[in-house]
Amino acid sequence: QVQLVQSGGGLVQAGGSLRLSCAASGEALINYAVGWFRQAPGKEREFVAIIWNGGSPSFSTSYASSVKGRFTVSRDDAKNMAYLQMSDLNPEDTAVYYCAAQRSGSPWSAAEYQSWGQGTQVTVSS
């Protein structure tokens, strides 16, 4: 089973950008779709984005409506890495962000992911 370690995040002003990284080890990331979730204080963990692996559909992506057009998910399987580029951030984006990997299952359900990163805090000030 793949292990995930996250980096990036931090404090940024509204309108700014951040990039989160997710490094995989123990197994080739190409075997997994990679999803990104976030959890704000007092709220449930919510789906942010997913990038599928080379199987089907090949490297396609999907985004939550709240981030579409502002966030971009990508992957570099040669480096066993996945990324979440976040732009035009606003205070409502403040949360702990998680990357997660799944071989199959509903991409929008956190319960369908087999491996999780440790989470990284993103704070957007107004």
Coordinates of all heavy atoms in Angstrom, one line a residue, residues 16-17 31 37 45 49-50 52 55 57 61 74 79 81 87 93 102 106 123-124 126:
G16 N -3.9 35.3 -3.1 CA -2.6 34.7 -3.3 C -2.7 33.2 -3.8 O -3.8 32.7 -4.0
S17 N -1.5 32.6 -3.9 CA -1.4 31.2 -4.4 C -0.5 30.4 -3.5 O 0.4 30.9 -2.8 CB -0.8 31.3 -5.8 OG -1.7 32.0 -6.7
N31 N -0.3 3.5 -9.9 CA -1.3 2.5 -9.7 C -2.6 3.1 -9.0 O -3.6 2.4 -8.8 CB -0.8 1.4 -8.8 CG 0.3 0.6 -9.4 OD1 0.3 0.3 -10.6 ND2 1.3 0.2 -8.6
F37 N -8.6 16.4 -0.5 CA -9.7 16.8 0.4 C -9.3 17.9 1.3 O -8.1 18.1 1.5 CB -10.2 15.5 1.2 CG -10.8 14.5 0.4 CD1 -10.1 13.6 -0.4 CD2 -12.2 14.3 0.5 CE1 -10.7 12.6 -1.2 CE2 -12.9 13.3 -0.3 CZ -12.1 12.5 -1.1
R45 N -14.9 16.6 6.4 CA -13.9 16.5 5.3 C -14.6 16.6 3.9 O -15.6 15.8 3.7 CB -13.0 15.3 5.4 CG -11.8 15.3 4.5 CD -10.9 14.2 4.9 NE -10.4 14.3 6.3 CZ -9.4 13.5 6.8 NH1 -8.9 12.6 6.1 NH2 -9.1 13.7 8.1
A49 N -10.6 17.8 -5.2 CA -10.2 17.5 -6.6 C -9.7 16.1 -6.7 O -9.3 15.5 -5.7 CB -9.1 18.4 -7.1
I50 N -9.6 15.5 -7.9 CA -9.1 14.2 -8.2 C -8.4 14.2 -9.5 O -8.8 14.9 -10.4 CB -10.1 13.1 -8.1 CG1 -9.4 11.7 -8.2 CG2 -11.2 13.3 -9.1 CD1 -10.3 10.5 -7.9
W52 N -7.1 11.1 -12.1 CA -7.1 9.7 -12.2 C -5.7 9.3 -12.7 O -4.9 10.1 -13.2 CB -8.2 9.3 -13.2 CG -9.5 9.1 -12.5 CD1 -9.9 8.1 -11.8 CD2 -10.5 10.1 -12.5 NE1 -11.2 8.3 -11.3 CE2 -11.6 9.6 -11.7 CE3 -10.7 11.4 -13.0 CZ2 -12.8 10.3 -11.5 CZ3 -11.8 12.1 -12.7 CH2 -12.9 11.5 -12.0
G55 N -5.1 4.6 -16.1 CA -6.0 3.6 -16.5 C -7.2 4.2 -17.2 O -7.3 4.3 -18.4
P57 N -10.5 7.3 -16.6 CA -10.0 7.9 -17.8 C -8.6 8.5 -17.6 O -8.3 9.0 -16.6 CB -11.0 9.0 -18.1 CG -11.6 9.4 -16.7 CD -11.5 8.1 -15.9
T61 N -9.3 14.8 -14.8 CA -9.5 15.5 -13.5 C -10.9 15.9 -13.2 O -11.7 16.0 -14.2 CB -8.6 16.8 -13.4 OG1 -9.0 17.6 -14.5 CG2 -7.1 16.4 -13.6
S74 N -2.4 18.0 -10.5 CA -1.5 17.4 -11.5 C -0.7 16.3 -10.8 O -0.8 16.1 -9.6 CB -0.5 18.5 -12.1 OG 0.3 19.0 -11.0
K79 N 8.2 10.8 -10.8 CA 8.7 11.3 -9.5 C 7.9 10.8 -8.4 O 8.2 11.1 -7.2 CB 8.8 12.8 -9.5 CG 9.8 13.4 -10.5 CD 9.9 14.9 -10.4 CE 10.9 15.5 -11.3 NZ 10.9 17.0 -11.2
M81 N 4.9 11.8 -7.6 CA 4.5 13.0 -6.9 C 3.1 13.4 -7.5 O 2.8 13.2 -8.6 CB 5.4 14.2 -7.1 CG 6.8 14.0 -6.5 SD 6.8 14.1 -4.7 CE 6.2 15.8 -4.5
S87 N -4.9 28.9 -6.6 CA -4.8 30.3 -6.9 C -6.0 31.0 -6.5 O -7.1 30.4 -6.3 CB -4.6 30.4 -8.5 OG -3.4 29.7 -8.9
D93 N -11.2 29.1 1.9 CA -10.4 28.0 1.5 C -9.5 27.6 2.7 O -8.8 26.6 2.6 CB -9.4 28.4 0.4 CG -10.2 28.7 -0.9 OD1 -11.1 27.9 -1.3 OD2 -9.9 29.7 -1.6
Q102 N -6.4 6.2 -4.2 CA -7.3 5.0 -4.3 C -7.1 4.2 -5.5 O -6.7 4.8 -6.6 CB -8.8 5.5 -4.2 CG -9.2 6.4 -5.4 CD -10.7 6.5 -5.5 OE1 -11.2 6.9 -6.6 NE2 -11.4 6.4 -4.4
S106 N -15.6 5.3 -5.5 CA -16.1 6.6 -5.7 C -15.1 7.7 -5.4 O -14.5 7.7 -4.3 CB -17.4 6.9 -4.8 OG -17.7 8.3 -4.9
T123 N -4.0 28.5 5.5 CA -4.7 29.6 6.1 C -4.7 30.8 5.2 O -3.6 31.3 4.8 CB -4.1 30.0 7.5 OG1 -4.1 28.8 8.3 CG2 -4.9 31.1 8.1
V124 N -5.8 31.3 4.9 CA -5.9 32.5 4.0 C -6.5 33.7 4.8 O -7.6 33.6 5.3 CB -6.9 32.2 2.8 CG1 -6.9 33.4 1.8 CG2 -6.4 30.9 2.1
S126 N -7.7 37.6 5.2 CA -8.5 38.6 4.4 C -7.8 40.0 4.4 O -6.9 40.2 5.1 CB -9.9 38.7 5.0 OG -9.9 39.1 6.3

